[in-house]
Amino acid sequence: MEYKWAGFFGEKGLEMADRYVLRNLGVRGDWGFSFVESKGASGGIIVAWDESVWSLVDEWKGNYSLSTVLSRKEDESCVIFSGVYGPSLGAEKKLLWEELNGIRVRWNHPWCIGGDFKEIRFVSERLGCRRSVKNMRVFDKFIAKNDLIDLPLSGSRFTWSRGESQSRIDRFLICPGWLSLVPEVIQRSLVHSVSDHCPIILDPRMES
């Protein structure tokens, strides 16, 4: 069984989501989608799914995330996928974690979260970082509280770069139940294009 997932997270401001946008993002075939509009020149989230495999059951749009419940047509099993575009200001980061904690309370299905969290977990994830700070520790506690797995990233050490600054602020987090659906999934980065972020994907194949 081939599992097809797509989450797209934009920084240039997606004013609208339509079939034209999805085609330019490389999506082909019969796909459904949901979106959260950008705020000014930043943000914007699109989550898309292959409608030959999945049906949309429910969704919830927050200030920093878009969550969908998808049902697999083969056996009607449900999963949650949340796309994230995190806040840059430290004072707002608490609101992101509260928003995502609410998703786990709202639904109880295998969960995957992906996107730009605007935060790192470890000092090794930011070039030149020398010590852990409170926001990093809060991010780590959120992952532990929700029993999420941060798969190792292959392809590159960092996912964002601007000038001499480099960080791993983009990632997928999955719960153990997700691995029961796709047990051999890996997280890897792709080559930069026009963005200062590396696209990242969950690839349901073992590394060669």
Side-chain angles (χ1 to χ4, degrees):
M1 177 66 181
E2 182 180 4
Y3 297 88
K4 300 178 181 179
W5 298 93
F8 301 102
F9 318 98
E11 192 174 41
K12 300 303 182 183
L14 293 170
E15 297 300 330
M16 61 183 296
D18 57 19
R19 301 293 174 182
Y20 176 78
V21 171
L22 293 176
R23 284 196 299 271
N24 280 276
L25 288 168
V27 174
R28 297 292 183 268
D30 189 15
W31 286 65
F33 64 89
S34 186
F35 71 99
V36 172
E37 292 184 355
S38 62
K39 299 177 182 178
S42 65
I45 306 169
I46 298 177
V47 173
W49 57 91
D50 186 343
E51 289 191 319
S52 69
V53 181
W54 304 96
S55 298
L56 179 66
V57 175
D58 201 357
E59 69 175 9
W60 186 83
K61 298 180 180 181
N63 291 317
Y64 309 106
S65 65
L66 165 60
S67 295
T68 57
V69 177
L70 300 172
S71 174
R72 186 168 56 182
K73 292 184 176 180
E74 181 183 35
D75 57 11
E76 298 185 347
S77 60
C78 290
V79 296
I80 308 165
F81 183 85
S82 298
V84 170
Y85 189 87
S88 298
L89 297 178
E92 296 179 1
K93 291 182 183 294
K94 179 182 177 181
L95 301 178
L96 170 63
W97 309 131
E98 290 177 351
E99 187 170 300
L100 292 176
N101 282 327
I103 299 302
R104 175 46 76 204
V105 175
R106 188 182 187 93
W107 298 301
N108 186 25
H109 303 298
W111 191 22
C112 175
I113 317 172
D116 178 2
F117 289 86
K118 292 287 193 301
E119 190 55 78
I120 62 173
R121 294 184 63 194
F122 310 111
V123 294
S124 59
E125 293 181 346
R126 176 167 293 148
L127 191 65
C129 186
R130 294 290 182 266
R131 64 185 180 87
S132 175
V133 297
K134 180 180 179 180
N135 286 331
M136 294 164 57
R137 295 191 291 271
V138 172
F139 187 17
D140 212 39
K141 289 179 180 177
F142 163 78
I143 293 172
K145 175 183 178 180
N146 289 283
D147 195 25
L148 295 168
I149 300 169
D150 185 8
L151 296 170
L153 178 67
S154 66
S156 65
R157 180 181 172 189
F158 305 112
T159 62
W160 174 87
S161 62
R162 182 175 295 170
E164 296 183 356
S165 301
Q166 298 184 68
S167 299
R168 184 193 174 191
I169 56 177
D170 309 272
R171 64 199 340 127
F172 287 100
L173 302 170
I174 60 177
C175 74
W178 190 275
L179 289 177
S180 67
L181 296 173
V182 193
E184 297 181 346
V185 68
I186 62 170
Q187 182 174 200
R188 64 186 177 92
S189 63
L190 304 178
V191 178
H192 282 257
S193 55
V194 296
S195 174
D196 47 13
H197 291 258
C198 286
I200 58 172
I201 66 170
L202 278 180
D203 193 347
R205 295 169 295 178
M206 294 294 287
E207 291 181 286
S208 57

